[in-house]
Structures are given as structure tokens and as C-alpha cells.
């Protein structure tokens, strides 16, 4: 068991902020939570911020002129500014959604809505002959909405393949991205492989052909410093719950001029300019894309999460995760019968470590680990096409965050060996 | 370790040496089921033998064969199913299915009837793990579908 | 000032559960919160339930096999069962959305998606020649999505007018609802007028012509017992935040067989059957309509809100609000220069009381009230077409809930008189 | 009561007796603005007089007239605007607009320059009420649009 922590975070101090990490599971075993890629745990500071909103300032945002409504609106818009600053964006470029999934659907539906909206929205129209490009490593959230856009509009879906070592195969980029390409949608960081994709280079190619670029940043914004200006994409989607924030809130960032020229998705109150019984006009972004009473308490919670991460320093968060990941790749990757799915070193690679264990189905690996208090995810992790590339239906995935310790990686490696002993597939080392 | 309560020896035996695996002809109905959370799959075939003139609940389950990919629980459950259902009438099989389904939803509180479920009582421990219930039921749901299909085909053929 | 409370709620005991009601606004004035129609306040029990989820059971629902994921999934599905029971529905008929707005958009988008989905979804297709019927009293959330559906599909929008006394004008129902009608969407209870519409009778007429009926229950489910079986509609939408629950969660209820035959709206993880790189199939309802990591903590909070309301008894809630409303209609309605917009007695009428004050703009009325600590809403309340019917751009609206006291109504009436004195429009009584 | 800090006598006077209300001809530009939260509206017209040959920032705001519906703040603000801007150059007017906008966003902390803003300093108290800032700015935004339009029209005419 390793006791020193070479990352630049005081992990024990961090852990003390997360009430759930003190609990036990199964027969009183300490919780070893290695499923932050699915959802992260929340520090007290985030829960307190959300609760304080409810207990002191709760009102419908942007809809009232009384003091509570003023305070609620102010808290909501300050939260937007904090979150915008966290990714180097302007406040008016940050749209709140319920999660990354809605954020991506927003863009995909706006593009099909453009067909039946005014000419001012022609920039977003797609139809037969146009192409939409994704990758084989996408999470279903950044794949199915584009399949559906193609189905609604008659556009054609194309995709980048992945290489056996877990990288995008860019060899056919010149034919994949061409003058027919209208949008390129890809993960900034894969939730299975951990791979960080060369988004900036691909975006340049796409922009040369006038295509829009949508980055699924659900697994990057929580784990590394992300600056939208430097990244060079047009839209960026992420979820609050994966970055220490509450559930029920996500973000779509979009370039100011693109949001301004984009038709709405969900329609209703607070996103309108004027409403007549048979037609309506729209508010400016970001309001245009936020129909209904918004999730202000969750926005406030997410801003508290950004503050928490900023106080740790995103460079330190990244360094800590790189160290933990390197250790995991070594400790887990060196076990006999274990195959890492994805890059085996930490270059351009984040902290999801997916693997197979020879002769044991991931469900069974997960069950043994769970019995030992080690909580990992098993299955296709919402990336079914990717798993087909590796000729496996499912993998076991451990994923890490600011509160992950080296001792927890040791527990994982020991758990895998326990599974091998239990199912009799490997001699004990 | 509570693992033993879930992975009973019977289950591990069926997992390592599955019975009736491999698709066989002839068959009346075939169903392909997938567990959407993990991607596990089964293709299961049923052949019935009419008791009287027409295929109905009194028909005998003459054969069940399958091809599948999945975890120990889903594999063992398919194997146990074939042992239990081949040779019974459809009506009887449906009763076993009902009993097994009830056991799976018992959250570890069920008192399985060993006379009805035989080896399948070993799955009682699985019912404590909600995420694994689908694994245990996958083959059973496929059998239900394939059997319904067999009866349907017959009806269509008759009309 | 009235001190006895003829409603059947122990309002003081209720108020003690709401931390925010103890605060003061402006220059230390006690908060008189009369804006529950916009959003309700939350009892401690709801905030505690949500926090307990985060601190003890937080994990991604329906995506994990470990103990935390089991507990989270179990809590989420138990919440669904509680909420379903609250409206007399089956669990599998309750779809979680972020708010009522999304719930209504879900149905409207599913209907346009049906055009490009398989034949099994033909039941939901609309196109040129088909008609969509709404009413002039709709909240924008139940109007704009239908305008947009018509724009996407070429269907025609038609609408019921309102009468001067705030009821639906049903005189032309026979021509409005006909064999071309595909969907009738209407408010169960108006958020401005308070009017409770004869939804069941209208639904019968619609069903006779094979049309679907969508009820916007955002203002009814929080305030009266609602039983979906008795109501006779096909879909019902409401928001958690208006019924003591958290923000960021809403509900679409739909008839089992209709949900089963409806194509999805937002697509992504957890709503799929199988996913291939170029096509996908769907899970059964309700999962089909819940893409992405869901807002489980908010669902748990909403279930706690349902439990809270059930413990009070929805009959008692209704009786209390009827009593408060009757008192408000009398105290406010009898002020010189004040005109109630909507029914002036409590028959088929809920607790929103909108009014105009002669010679004073609603913004200015609201400002004087706010200065006295009385928090009401001013504007068109997201019902702009309705306000045009009454030839006014805006109204002042007071709306009540379980914690509203008679003394607060007195404060409202006194505040209106203070505004009249301040602007010199009426002699003091 | 903090009401008096918001509803200064000057504001109430302009509200009760608005100056330059009612649309007038001729005009170069017209803008129609709506406050989407409350439905208040204003239609505002601008007539410019060129200083030299062409219409530009040195032109004089010869007339501003408007028709509007709204609260005391929005009505008084339109009235004050006309008093302040008629007779100034466009460039000057834009400076007043900038100063007024800054005051409105000062959250009650602004120290308005009375030489520039004259009667408009009375709106300082409004800046403490975020929901009312839009009311105070409605006419000013319309003036900015109508003026930009006037200059545009001229350019188009010239080219
Ligand atoms: C009648 C009515 N319908 C729909 C809505 C929309 O609810 P939400 O904004 O929570 O989606 C509201 C409230 O704003 C309402 O009062
Ligand atoms: C890469 C990636 N994209 C998108 C998503 C979708 O996020 P959510 O479910 O919060 O919408 C996830 C997580 O589930 C993810 O890992």
C-alpha cells in the first residue's frame, strides 16, 4: 500500500469535505468510490450553497420584481458568470440545460428546426447531401442525437474509426471532413478509453470547410483546465453532476454569434420576445434557450463546485489525476489476464481506466469488487459502438477524481485478483 | 464475503458447464434478447409438441436451445432453464416462470419452492442485487417470447 | 386583521417547516410571500430528503451494479412510485423531465418526430390539414410549443377564446374540435385567472374525434387532488418547484399505451434498446423519455413534497386555498379602482388572483407592495395573449399556498391602498 | 419606506405630465421596443439635422417624439430623454446615453454627473431595483436604435 501522495492535492483534506466518503458499504467495508466518470460525489460546500439558496433567496428567476426575485435572479446570473469564467467564456455564451445530453440535443434540434424557421437561421440548415461527422468512441449522448438529426433531415452520418490502441484514426480525415460536412461532433475526452482527442486540429479542418464543431466535454471540463477560446470549437457541452456539482444542471457553451443566429429548441416562458396567439419571437441568448422556470439552486450549486475546483486549481486536479491514473495503469495493467482498453500511458489521456479480465465477465468482476466495497462501473458505459470495435460487449471501468487515493487503486488491484481467485482463472501472484 | 450467497456452487457449475447450449433445429419460435445496460445477449429457440390436435398450453416443451454471451448469472440461468422446462407442458413452464420471476423480485426475502424450481432455487441470493436480476431473467424472458411466438405461428398457420 | 383560520390546515405549524418564511425583506419587514404561482417555497422535509440522498446514496441511477448505484436507483424508482400514486397513475406512466415546459415540449416534439420515425409511430403524426387546438388563456409553455409544432409540420393552430368573466368560450367547440383535430392542449387551471377548465368534458369531445388531449396541470396538481384516471386526458404535465418540491424536476404523465407508441424526444444514454454506429432502438417507457443521468436527488425531493402534501391532505389544501381566495376576492375586489381579472367567486377557481388598479401601472403597484414586504408578481405572467383579451399589458397577481395566512391577505389589501395613496389615485378609505 | 428614493418628485412629475409625447412628422428613424417581461412598449421617432453635408455624429437631434405604454419609470424616462437630447448633437447624445446606462447599472452606488444628466439624475434610485432597470432604459434603447437607423438610411441614400 502506498501512503505518500505525489499529486499536488491534499487529498485527505479534500476527502473530509465529502460526507458520503465516510460511509461504509456491504458488510461495513469502507467505500472505495471509483465511479466518478458516471457521477461525482459532492462536497459540503456545494450542498450548503444550494441549500442556502432555498432557505434564503428562493424565487422564480427573471420573472419577478420583488426582493426575493431580485436576489434569486442575481444569484443565478452570478452563477452563470462564475461558470463562464471557469471555461474562459463570456456569460452570455453560457446556456443552462439539465445535463450534457440536453445541451447536445439542443444543437441537433436547433439545426433541424432551422429548416422551418426564418431565413435568418439558414446558417444552421442541414438536409439531404449534407454530412454529419461523429466518432466511434462517442458516448450515446453525442451519437444518438446526431443519428436522429440525420433521420429528421435526410443528412448522412459519417464517423471516425478508432485504432486498436484507443486513438481516433485520422488517416481518412480528408475524405471524412469535406465541403458537404455541416457539423463535426466529438468527445473531448472519452468516458471509456480516457483518450483526449486532438479537438483543436480537427476543428481547424472542419472550419476550413465551414462546418460547425461540437465538443462533448462531459469528461474534460471536470478533470482538466479547459479554455473555450483556445480549444477552437463552436459548441461545448458538459454536466454539473460530473464535476462536484448538483444533478439536474448542465451547460451548453456556444460562440456568441452562433447562439445569436440559432433558432430555439425547447419553447415556453422566459425565452420569448413577444407572444401572439399564433406566432412568437425570441429573446436574445442565453435566455432564448432557457424555457421555463430555471434550475437556479442547481446553478448556484454548480458555481460553488467551480469555486471549489478553482480553489484546488485545475492544474493540480489534472496533475493528481494523472498521477493516480499512471499508478492504476501500472498496478492494474500489469495483472496477468487483464487488458486495458485504451491508451496505456498518460499522454493525452484522462482518468477513465477500462479493462477486461480474461475469463471473467465484467458483471462478475464488478460483483466481487462491490463485495469488497470497491465501486466501479460495468457494461458498455453508454458507448456500445466503441465496445464493438474492441470485440467485447462490456468492460469494467474505474474512474477517478480529486478524492481518489493511491490506496484505493491498491484496493482495486487486490479486488481484481480476488475475482480471479474466486472464479479460478488465475493463480494467485 | 457475501459472494457465496450469490454465486452458489450450482450456479458456478452451470456457468462452467452449460447444458443445452448451441442452437438446434427444428424450432417453432426464436427470440433474441439483449440486456441494454451491459449488452449481454441470448438467442433462444423453442420446439413444442402438441398434446392433442393443436398447439396450446397443454403442448410439451420438446426442446429449448440457445446461444448466448454474458455473465455467470445469465449463463447459468439459461442452462438451468433448459433443464427445468424441457419435457414440461407450456402451462407448467409458465408457472415455473412466474415462480422464478417472483423469487427474483423478492429482494432476498423469498422462500423458493424447491419442488417447483429445483436447481433454480440457487438464484435466491441474486434477488438481493437489483442490477443482476435482469441477468437472471434474460433467458426466461426470451423463452416466454419464443414460446408465445410458437403458439402464434401455429394459430396463424391454422387460420 | 383576521386571526382565526377557517381552513383545515394548521397554517402556523406548516409555516414553521419553511425556513425562508422567517426572513425579512427591505427594511426589516416580515416576508409576505404571495408569489407561489411562480414558484413555491420548500419545507425542511424536502430539503432534508434531497440532501440525505447526496450525503448517503448518491450515484448514477440505472447505470451501475454497485451498492450505491443500487440504492440510488431504488430511491429514484421509489420516488417515481410515490409521485405516480399522488396523481393516481402507474409508475411506468410517469416520465421525469426538468419542468412542465420540457414535458409539454416532449409531446410536441414526439409528434413531429413521428413523421420521420417508423410506421409504428403513425398514431402521433401530424401534417398539413391537421389541426392543433389551444386556448387564449394558455401559459406560453402550453402555447409556443404547439405554435412550433405547427410550424415544423404544416398543421394549423386554432384556439378557444376566453369570456370577459374569465371562462373558456365553449360556444364554438363543435367547429373547433372536429375530425381534423389531432391534439387539444389546455390548462387545467389558469395561472392568471385561477379558472379551472372543464377538461374532462372537452377531453370527451376531443376523444370522440380521435384527438389526443394534453392538460397543463402546472397550477392544478399543486393545489387540488388530481386523479388522472378521472380527469380523462391523455397527457398531463406539471413542475416540482410549484408544489413544494425542488427546482429542476417536472413530470409528464401519459397513458401507458400512448407512451409505448410514442417516439423519443431527447436522445442519449439510458433511453436506448441497442445502439449501432448508424442506428438505434429505444427502451420501453418511461426510460425511453429520460436520456442522460437523471435528476435523482430532485425526484427524491419531489417525492418528499408529495408525502408532505399527502400528510396535510390535498382536500385540506384545497379547502384552505379556497378560503384564502374567497377572502382575497372580497378584500381586494372590493377596493375602489381595483378590477379582478378572472372569476370573482371560488366556483371552479383556484388561488391565483390577478387584478389591475386604476391609474397605477402593475410595476408601480408591485413596487409599493414590495416596499412593504408583500411579494407579488407583475407583468403578463407568461400569458401575453390572455392579457390582450383583457386589453391590458400587465396585471398584478397574488397567488397562495399552504402557508398563506389571512393576515397576509390583509397586508396585500393594505398595500394596494398604500399604492393608491402614494400615487394619489384614490382617497383613503 | 424607501419608495421616495426611487420615485423622486421629478420622476412623478414627468410621469404625470410627459414632455414630447405623441408621434410627430417628419422623422428619419423609428424604433419599436418592448419589455418582454411586462409587455410595456414604446415607439420612438428621431429627426436629425445635418451639421455639414451629410448625416453623421455631428448632426443635431432636431426632434424626438414617442408613443408609449408603461409604468411610471418607463414613462418618465422617455419624457426626460426628450428634454435632454433634443438640440444636442448625436455624439453628445450617445455620451449622455452611456452615462445614463452606467448609472442604471451602478446598483445604487453611482455618482451621477448632474451637468450631463440633469433631470435624469433622479433615476439613480432605480438602479437599486434590477427588475426596473429595463423600464428606465426602454426609451433610451429605442432612441439608440432609431438614431442608428436614421444614420443608416442616410448612408444607404448616399451610396
Ligand atoms: C399554467 C402553467 N403552465 C406551465 C408553466 C411552466 O412551468 P415551468 O416553468 O416550471 O416549466 C407554468 C409556470 O410557470 C404555469 O403556471
Ligand atoms: C463523454 C460523455 N458525454 C456525455 C455524457 C452525458 O452526460 P449526462 O448524462 O449528464 O447528460 C456522459 C456521461 O454520462 C459522458 O461521459
Amino acid at each position: 500500500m502506498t501512503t505518500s501522495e505525489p499529486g499536488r492535492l491534499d487529498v485527505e483534506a479534500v476527502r473530509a469535505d465529502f460526507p458520503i466518503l465516510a460511509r461504509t458499504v456491504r458488510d461495513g467495508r469502507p467505500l472505495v468510490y471509483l465511479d466518478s466518470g458516471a457521477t461525482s460525489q459532492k462536497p459540503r460546500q456545494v450542498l450548503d450553497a444550494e441549500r442556502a439558496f432555498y432557505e434564503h433567496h428562493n424565487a422564480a428567476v427573471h420573472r419577478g420584481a420583488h426582493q426575493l426575485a431580485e436576489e434569486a435572479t442575481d444569484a443565478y446570473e452570478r452563477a452563470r458568470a462564475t461558470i463562464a469564467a471557469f471555461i474562459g467564456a463570456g456569460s452570455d455564451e453560457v446556456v443552462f440545460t439539465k445535463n450534457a445530453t440536453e445541451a447536445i440535443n439542443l444543437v441537433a434540434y436547433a439545426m433541424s428546426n432551422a429548416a422551418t424557421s426564418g431565413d435568418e437561421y439558414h446558417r444552421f440548415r442541414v438536409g439531404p447531401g449534407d454530412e454529419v461527422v461523429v466518432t466511434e468512441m462517442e458516448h450515446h449522448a453525442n451519437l444518438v442525437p446526431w443519428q436522429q438529426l440525420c433521420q429528421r433531415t435526410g443528412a448522412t452520418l459519417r464517423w471516425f474509426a478508432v485504432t486498436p490502441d484507443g486513438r481516433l484514426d485520422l488517416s481518412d480525415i480528408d475524405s471524412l471532413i469535406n465541403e458537404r460536412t455541416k457539423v463535426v461532433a466529438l468527445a473531448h475526452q472519452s468516458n471509456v478509453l480516457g483518450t483526449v482527442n486532438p479537438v483543436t486540429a480537427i476543428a481547424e479542418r472542419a472550419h476550413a470547410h465551414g462546418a460547425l464543431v461540437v465538443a462533448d466535454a462531459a469528461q474534460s471540463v471536470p478533470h482538466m483546465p479547459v479554455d473555450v477560446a483556445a480549444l477552437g470549437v463552436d459548441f461545448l457541452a458538459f454536466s454539473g453532476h460530473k464535476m462536484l456539482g448538483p444533478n439536474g444542471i448542465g451547460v451548453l457553451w456556444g460562440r456568441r454569434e452562433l447562439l445569436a443566429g440559432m433558432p430555439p429548441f425547447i419553447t415556453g416562458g422566459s425565452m420569448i420576445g413577444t407572444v401572439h396567439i399564433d406566432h412568437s419571437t425570441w429573446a436574445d441568448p442565453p435566455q432564448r434557450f432557457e424555457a421555463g422556470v430555471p434550475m437556479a439552486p442547481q446553478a448556484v450549486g454548480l458555481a460553488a463546485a467551480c469555486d471549489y475546483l478553482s480553489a484546488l486549481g485545475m492544474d493540480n486536479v489534472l496533475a493528481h489525476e494523472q498521477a493516480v491514473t499512471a499508478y492504476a495503469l501500472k498496478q492494474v495493467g500489469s495483472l496477468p489476464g487483464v487488458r486495458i482498453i485504451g491508451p496505456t500511458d498518460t499522454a493525452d489521456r484522462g482518468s477513465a481506466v477500462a479493462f477486461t479480465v480474461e475469463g471473467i465477465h465484467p458483471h462478475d468482476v464488478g460483483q466481487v469488487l462491490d463485495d469488497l466495497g470497491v465501486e466501479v462501473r460495468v457494461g458498455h458505459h453508454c458507448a456500445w459502438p466503441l465496445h464493438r470495435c474492441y470485440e467485447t460487449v462490456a468492460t469494467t471501468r474505474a474512474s477517478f477524481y480529486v478524492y481518489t487515493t493511491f490506496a484505493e487503486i491498491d484496493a482495486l488491484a487486490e479486488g481484481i485478483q480476488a475475482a480471479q481467485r474466486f472464479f479460478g482463472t488465475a493463480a494467485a501472484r | 464475503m457475501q459472494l457465496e450467497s450469490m454465486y452458489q456452487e450450482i450456479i458456478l457449475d452451470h456457468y462452467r458447464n452449460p447444458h443445452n447450449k448451441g442452437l438446434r433445429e427444428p424450432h417453432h419460435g426464436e427470440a433474441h434478447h439483449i440486456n441494454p445496460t451491459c449488452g449481454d445477449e441470448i438467442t433462444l429457440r423453442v420446439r413444442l409438441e402438441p398434446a392433442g390436435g393443436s398447439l396450446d398450453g397443454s403442448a410439451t416443451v420438446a426442446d429449448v436451445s440457445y446461444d448466448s454471451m454474458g455473465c455467470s448469472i445469465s449463463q447459468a440461468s439459461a442452462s438451468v432453464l433448459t433443464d427445468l422446462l424441457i419435457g414440461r407442458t407450456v402451462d407448467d413452464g409458465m408457472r415455473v416462470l412466474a415462480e422464478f420471476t417472483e423469487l427474483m423480485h423478492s429482494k432476498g426475502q423469498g422462500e423458493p419452492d424447491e419442488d417447483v424450481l429445483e436447481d433454480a432455487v440457487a438464484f435466491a441470493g441474486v434477488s438481493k442485487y437489483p442490477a443482476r436480476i435482469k441477468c437472471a431473467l434474460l433467458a426466461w424472458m426470451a423463452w416466454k417470447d419464443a414460446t408465445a411466438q410458437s403458439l402464434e405461428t401455429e394459430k396463424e398457420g391454422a387460420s
Side-chain angles (χ1 to χ4, degrees), chain A, chain B:
Chain A
M1 192 144 123
T2 313
T3 47
S4 73
E5 301 279 355
R8 276 176 282 164
L9 296 184
D10 180 349
V11 178
E12 285 313 315
V14 166
R15 290 178 68 85
D17 289 330
F18 292 75
I20 202 171
L21 297 181
R23 73 162 271 183
T24 59
V25 289
R26 300 301 174 203
D27 286 329
R29 296 188 173 267
L31 171 65
V32 176
Y33 186 73
L34 300 182
D35 197 16
S36 292
T39 199
S40 71
Q41 297 303 340
K42 330 293 175 197
R44 220 179 296 277
Q45 289 84 340
V46 167
L47 302 180
D48 287 348
E50 194 175 344
R51 182 144 188 160
F53 178 91
Y54 280 126
E55 293 195 345
H56 302 295
H57 314 292
N58 181 56
V61 153
H62 283 305
R63 292 198 180 177
H66 53 71
Q67 185 178 347
L68 282 188
E70 278 174 10
E71 291 176 6
T73 305
D74 190 47
Y76 183 62
E77 292 303 332
R78 268 189 291 119
R80 194 194 303 275
T82 300
I83 294 156
F86 189 75
I87 55 166
S91 277
D92 55 340
E93 300 180 316
V94 163
V95 175
F96 287 123
T97 61
K98 67 175 173 178
N99 51 24
T101 303
E102 185 197 338
I104 295 165
N105 276 268
L106 195 167
V107 180
Y109 270 103
M111 293 184 81
S112 53
N113 286 346
T116 51
S117 302
D119 270 342
E120 65 270 36
Y121 300 120
H122 72 271
R123 171 85 182 78
F124 287 91
R125 288 187 190 154
V126 290
D130 292 334
E131 295 178 359
V132 172
V133 178
V134 295
T135 87
E136 277 182 341
M137 70 167 76
E138 295 314 307
H139 187 281
H140 296 163
N142 200 32
L143 171 61
V144 187
W146 303 112
Q147 292 177 348
Q148 290 298 102
L149 171 64
C150 290
Q151 186 161 322
R152 288 195 299 277
T153 61
T156 302
L157 189 76
R158 304 190 63 185
W159 53 88
F160 284 99
V162 293
T163 64
D165 57 338
R167 303 285 175 185
L168 282 186
D169 176 357
L170 298 175
S171 60
D172 53 356
I173 186 168
D174 288 330
S175 82
L176 268 177
I177 300 184
N178 57 54
E179 66 286 351
R180 294 182 302 279
T181 311
K182 292 291 164 195
V183 58
V184 178
L186 81 170
H188 189 192
Q189 177 171 323
S190 161
N191 68 313
V192 178
L193 307 169
T195 310
V196 176
N197 287 318
V199 167
T200 309
I202 294 172
E204 264 170 35
R205 195 66 67 100
H207 286 152
H209 293 287
L212 296 169
V213 180
V214 180
D216 173 358
Q219 296 289 348
S220 61
V221 166
H223 300 290
M224 61 165 91
V226 170
D227 181 281
V228 288
L231 201 60
V233 301
D234 301 301
F235 295 96
L236 185 96
F238 57 97
S239 281
H241 70 90
K242 292 189 200 278
M243 53 188 289
L244 311 184
N247 287 56
I249 184 127
V251 168
L252 175 70
W253 168 83
R255 281 185 198 280
R256 190 171 287 115
E257 62 277 15
L258 289 173
L259 289 179
M262 197 162 87
F265 167 42
I266 294 181
T267 58
S270 297
M271 55 71 69
I272 54 92
T274 56
V275 176
H276 294 263
I277 187 72
D278 59 351
H279 70 280
S280 303
T281 63
W282 316 131
D284 289 337
Q287 272 70 37
R288 185 185 299 166
F289 305 103
E290 295 181 358
V293 171
M295 37 306 213
Q298 287 85 356
V300 167
L302 180 53
C306 289
D307 286 341
Y308 189 93
L309 288 168
S310 297
L312 294 180
M314 285 307 291
D315 285 327
N316 297 331
V317 169
L318 178 62
H320 173 71
E321 292 194 36
Q322 294 265 324
V324 172
T325 304
Y327 187 65
L329 288 170
K330 182 163 131 287
Q331 296 303 93
V332 173
S334 65
L335 295 175
V338 171
R339 172 183 165 217
I340 303 281
I341 306 288
T344 50
D345 63 53
T346 57
D348 292 328
R349 188 200 202 292
S351 66
V353 176
F355 57 89
T356 57
V357 182
E358 202 187 321
I360 316 181
H361 188 279
H363 255 171
D364 294 318
V365 175
Q367 196 75 45
V368 175
L369 289 172
D370 177 46
D371 199 58
L372 298 166
V374 180
E375 315 275 64
V376 296
R377 186 161 165 200
V378 297
H380 51 60
H381 320 303
C382 300
W384 208 326
L386 176 68
H387 280 75
R388 284 202 192 83
C389 300
Y390 293 95
E391 285 166 8
T392 177
V393 272
T395 55
T396 303
R397 181 190 73 181
S399 52
F400 316 130
Y401 211 3
V402 290
Y403 36 68
T404 306
T405 66
F406 287 74
E408 291 181 314
I409 306 298
D410 292 333
L412 170 65
E414 283 156 22
I416 295 167
Q417 292 170 286
Q420 291 176 318
R421 281 193 301 273
F422 186 81
F423 287 98
T425 59
R429 277 202 295 188
Chain B
M1 289 260 264
Q2 298 201 329
L3 280 184
E4 282 76 12
S5 85
M6 173 153 177
Y7 294 111
Q8 307 261 327
E9 259 325 303
I10 301 181
I11 293 181
L12 293 176
D13 284 350
H14 277 277
Y15 171 46
R16 296 199 182 104
N17 305 297
H19 306 176
N20 297 301
K21 194 164 177 174
L23 293 171
R24 285 192 289 259
E25 291 290 359
H27 69 279
H28 292 100
E30 178 181 297
H32 177 72
H33 274 220
I34 304 194
N35 183 341
T37 52
C38 61
D40 286 354
E41 336 191 3
I42 188 166
T43 305
L44 184 142
R45 288 179 180 173
V46 170
R47 182 164 64 83
L48 302 183
E49 221 149 70
S54 71
L55 273 185
D56 56 22
S58 65
T60 300
V61 181
D63 193 28
V64 180
S65 65
Y66 64 95
D67 193 18
S68 69
M69 217 168 50
C71 64
S72 58
I73 302 298
S74 72
Q75 301 296 89
S77 162
S79 172
V80 167
L81 175 149
T82 60
D83 281 358
L84 261 172
L85 299 190
I86 295 174
R88 281 188 201 252
T89 66
V90 168
D91 284 345
D92 252 20
M94 291 293 170
R95 270 189 290 274
V96 179
L97 165 67
E99 185 95 11
F100 188 70
T101 307
E102 196 190 314
L103 177 65
M104 283 303 98
H105 290 115
S106 69
K107 305 190 172 177
Q109 306 302 310
E111 302 198 344
D113 184 342
E114 190 151 1
D115 289 346
V116 179
L117 292 181
E118 302 178 17
D119 274 9
V121 298
F123 290 85
V126 175
S127 71
K128 275 189 281 187
Y129 299 88
R132 305 304 296 275
I133 296 171
K134 268 190 199 159
C135 311
L137 286 176
L138 192 67
W140 293 82
M141 294 297 114
W143 177 76
K144 190 179 167 194
D145 258 22
T147 302
Q149 227 185 70
S150 309
L151 298 175
E152 276 301 311
T153 327
E154 166 70 9
K155 260 192 224 133
E156 276 163 24
S159 67

